[in-house]
Amino acid sequence: MKKHLLINGDWIKASEYRDLYAPYNGDKLAEVAFANAREINLAIDAADRAIKSMAQLTAFQRAEILMKLVELLKGRRHECATIIATESAKPIKAAIVEVDRTIMTYTFAAEEAKRINGETVPMDAAPGGENRIAYTLRQPLGIIAAITPFNFPMNLVAHKIGPAIAAGNTIILKPASQTPLSSIYLGELLMECGLPPGALNIVTGSGAKIGEKLVIDNRIKAITFTGSPQIGKKIKNQAGLKRVTLELGSNSALLIDKNVNLTDFIGRCVNGSFSFAGQVCISLQRIYVHEEIYDQFVTSFLEETKKLKIGNPLDHTTDISSLISEQDVERSLKWINEAVIAGAELVIGGQRRANNTLEPSVLLNVPSTEKISCQEVFAPVVMINKISSMEEGITEINESKYGLQAGIFTNDLQLALKAAERLEVGGVMINDIPTFRVDHMPYGGVKESGIGKEGIKYAIDEMLETKLVCFRKI
Ligand code: NAP
């Protein structure tokens, strides 16, 4: 089935199409438009023309559009989850969780659309400012370019489309080449919700070929990108004076103190390490455990890991399915091998299975210079290292070039407070894994994990201009 480009409220035939295949079994899923520079230009023209009609919608109307979408999504939960599972090989039970989160994300966006407000400014606080009344207006920026990754093809798109509509902007969405169907489905649903034509345009195709066109066009006022640090940096360098929000990768870490009750959270640790085969930006990749509890932790972790079931993403009992590409399996095996040569101990996994799947793999005592530790693995691989003090663990975590989220399990309040202050990350989870996220919390990394925040209210802030209005009393 051919999937076209959404431009100016119509599905437009493209000059070229590329076949899309399922990562799990190689089934052909669709022929997807492969946009060229001319078609990108048409999408930008359409978004530009729609700026006025979008900015004229009231907050109530924008919230209504988003709530209609929420209702449609609620009625098509299973259909949405099947699309996600098929195009990304995300196990269906995780895909259903993603759909439910997507529904929450658009619900928050609808609510926040009604809470966009400026403030009054006490001008007389400065000498020369007396006899003035001033306030700020929050106005839409214009066109937002949203570039999204494969791993949460509905919810991470929602984190851009929801705030952009709530703020009254127009949008050009470029989803990941492997997962365009979730975005196209969203486009079909949104067209039933009363969005002005041209307010949302969806261009599919190669990021490497058309990404730059979007990033450098001066009609686009902001770029919101979620993806790899390598592409994020490139975008930042090309974007000129546009606003840029970058939600990038990580090698998220967890600290485990002595005197904690492992049974309370071992399941969460295993889940955080292997959910969607580790292809989550806050996947638990590094675990640092106090020496007094280390052996017990490793034993329990391995017991729990052995329960995971590898299989077809559409099977409701599957925990782990295919990686997004064969190259990712190759790369992960290479990194595991390198770590073992450097002295790490592979205690489970490390084998490829059918359909591009990789067994959940656990390595112990991985040197911090190994890629398994210092790069983003993005595969079902986790390392567990022994530490003799929490101080040592905090130092290890901070040595990373990334800083998205970190977690600590401890019963020591002073240590928790210290870790919260000292860890160089965008979010610290006390008594939870770094993989924890709900969709309205401020979310975004430091260092090479990105700039700017998502979480609906925070993403809306990044998509608005603040204008001062000052009356002089005469
Ligand atoms: P990716 O390869 O960086 O791709 C992300 C998007 O950028 C895709 O739509 C891609 O298009 C596009 N793109 C590629 N080259 C481009 C260019 N030169 N200019 C503009 N756009 C370009 O990332 P991915 O493999 O899909 O996703 C995994 C990465 O995303 C991981 O690093 C993960 O940590 C990160 N991530 C971060 C968060 C967060 O919130 N911090 C959340 C999820 C994922 P094509 O698909 O056509 O190449």
Side-chain angles (χ1 to χ4, degrees):
M1 199 207 304
K2 275 202 156 83
K3 295 288 180 186
H4 308 300
L5 303 166
L6 178 60
I7 297 179
N8 202 32
D10 289 316
W11 293 100
I12 305 287
K13 281 193 182 143
S15 24
E16 194 182 341
Y17 290 79
R18 292 281 166 99
D19 293 343
L20 177 71
Y21 298 98
Y24 178 69
N25 53 15
D27 279 359
K28 182 171 161 181
L29 301 176
E31 289 169 39
V32 181
F34 191 77
N36 59 25
R38 187 188 64 81
E39 288 152 349
I40 294 291
N41 202 40
L42 288 178
I44 302 176
D45 282 347
D48 200 35
R49 283 195 304 275
I51 287 176
K52 240 192 196 146
S53 44
M54 195 61 198
Q56 277 166 359
L57 293 181
T58 63
F60 178 78
Q61 288 170 317
R62 299 194 304 271
E64 283 283 284
I65 290 168
L66 289 162
M67 278 317 291
K68 271 189 200 152
L69 177 62
V70 165
E71 290 313 313
L72 290 179
L73 286 169
K74 280 183 181 167
R76 295 169 205 207
R77 242 173 117 240
H78 192 72
E79 211 171 329
C80 290
T82 306
I83 295 172
I84 295 173
T86 312
E87 69 176 350
S88 71
K90 178 172 287 185
I92 190 86
K93 58 187 175 188
I96 289 170
V97 174
E98 179 174 350
V99 176
D100 288 342
R101 282 185 57 189
T102 304
I103 291 169
M104 278 316 299
T105 303
Y106 284 116
T107 307
F108 283 125
E111 291 166 354
E112 288 299 335
K114 296 183 176 181
R115 289 199 274 260
I116 295 171
N117 55 275
E119 58 182 11
T120 56
V121 184
M123 301 301 281
D124 65 352
E130 54 281 336
N131 279 324
R132 283 169 169 80
I133 295 172
Y135 61 92
T136 55
L137 286 176
R138 312 291 310 283
Q139 295 184 312
L141 291 180
I143 311 176
I144 310 280
I147 305 176
T148 52
F150 76 84
N151 63 339
F152 285 84
M154 270 201 193
N155 195 33
L156 290 182
V157 167
H159 270 283
K160 302 184 184 310
I161 304 299
I165 293 176
N169 290 298
T170 66
I171 308 143
I172 296 173
L173 168 63
K174 152 64 188 104
S177 290
Q178 179 54 49
T179 54
L181 302 181
S182 299
S183 289
I184 291 167
Y185 190 71
L186 166 80
E188 287 164 3
L189 294 186
L190 258 175
M191 281 171 75
E192 296 177 35
C193 299
L195 200 62
L200 171 66
N201 305 276
I202 302 177
V203 289
T204 46
S206 156
K209 294 223 166 80
I210 54 175
E212 183 175 337
K213 179 96 184 95
L214 278 178
V215 173
I216 64 174
D217 194 295
N218 280 333
R219 290 168 292 175
I220 289 173
K221 295 295 178 273
I223 297 157
T224 169
F225 171 83
T226 301
S228 58
Q230 177 204 355
I231 308 286
K233 280 188 220 166
K234 194 170 178 187
I235 289 175
K236 178 83 169 60
N237 289 334
Q238 291 173 330
L241 293 179
K242 294 179 188 70
R243 284 210 198 155
V244 180
T245 302
L246 301 175
E247 300 290 342
L248 310 177
S250 178
N251 57 352
S252 297
L254 173 67
L255 281 178
I256 309 226
D257 199 3
K258 55 188 172 189
N259 303 332
V260 289
N261 182 2
L262 293 182
T263 49
D264 285 348
F265 58 81
I266 204 82
R268 278 188 77 63
C269 293
V270 170
N271 194 274
S273 304
F274 301 124
S275 180
F276 192 28
Q279 299 169 116
V280 176
C281 50
I282 36 177
S283 188
L284 177 50
Q285 182 176 324
R286 298 181 291 154
I287 307 179
Y288 298 100
V289 188
H290 195 279
E291 58 192 5
E292 285 184 25
I293 204 172
Y294 183 80
D295 291 340
Q296 193 193 344
F297 180 86
V298 172
T299 306
S300 311
F301 192 94
L302 294 180
E303 266 169 30
E304 205 62 32
T305 302
K306 283 177 193 153
K307 294 179 191 163
L308 297 174
K309 188 175 166 238
I310 297 178
N312 187 327
L314 293 175
D315 179 341
H316 282 262
T317 61
T318 294
D319 299 298
I320 295 186
S321 191
S322 315
L323 286 185
I324 202 68
S325 74
E326 197 177 345
Q327 294 90 290
D328 284 292
V329 180
E330 297 293 340
R331 177 187 53 81
S332 310
L333 287 170
K334 188 164 171 273
W335 288 11
I336 290 173
N337 204 26
E338 284 172 12
V340 170
I341 290 168
E345 188 187 351
L346 176 68
V347 281
I348 194 169
Q351 295 295 321
R352 173 206 292 267
R353 294 254 197 108
N355 303 78
N356 274 341
T357 48
L358 182 62
E359 289 177 354
S361 308
V362 180
L363 291 125
L364 309 182
N365 307 319
V366 177
S368 60
T369 47
E370 281 308 299
K371 296 194 183 83
I372 290 292
S373 175
C374 65
Q375 305 277 346
E376 179 179 40
V377 178
F378 230 57
V381 183
V382 64
M383 52 163 266
I384 310 175
N385 278 15
K386 193 186 285 184
I387 47 172
S388 53
S389 70
M390 289 293 110
E391 191 64 37
E392 183 188 344
I394 292 173
T395 306
E396 289 282 354
I397 292 183
N398 286 346
E399 265 174 17
S400 171
K401 63 181 173 180
Y402 300 113
L404 194 45
Q405 295 203 138
I408 176 168
F409 282 96
T410 183
N411 292 320
D412 178 343
L413 181 58
Q414 295 310 318
L415 173 64
L417 289 168
K418 182 172 158 187
E421 266 181 32
R422 294 259 315 276
L423 287 168
E424 295 164 6
V425 289
V428 178
M429 303 299 133
I430 311 288
N431 289 332
D432 213 335
I433 50 175
T435 325
F436 176 77
R437 182 183 185 187
V438 286
D439 293 285
H440 63 307
M441 72 186 215
Y443 179 81
V446 299
K447 302 187 193 170
E448 292 197 20
S449 290
I451 48 173
K453 293 281 178 214
E454 288 198 336
I456 303 304
K457 173 175 177 290
Y458 306 90
I460 288 175
D461 279 345
E462 311 260 356
M463 295 182 184
L464 288 169
E465 197 62 78
T466 299
K467 183 191 279 178
L468 178 82
V469 181
C470 179
F471 283 80
R472 184 167 67 86
K473 291 191 240 171
I474 47 176

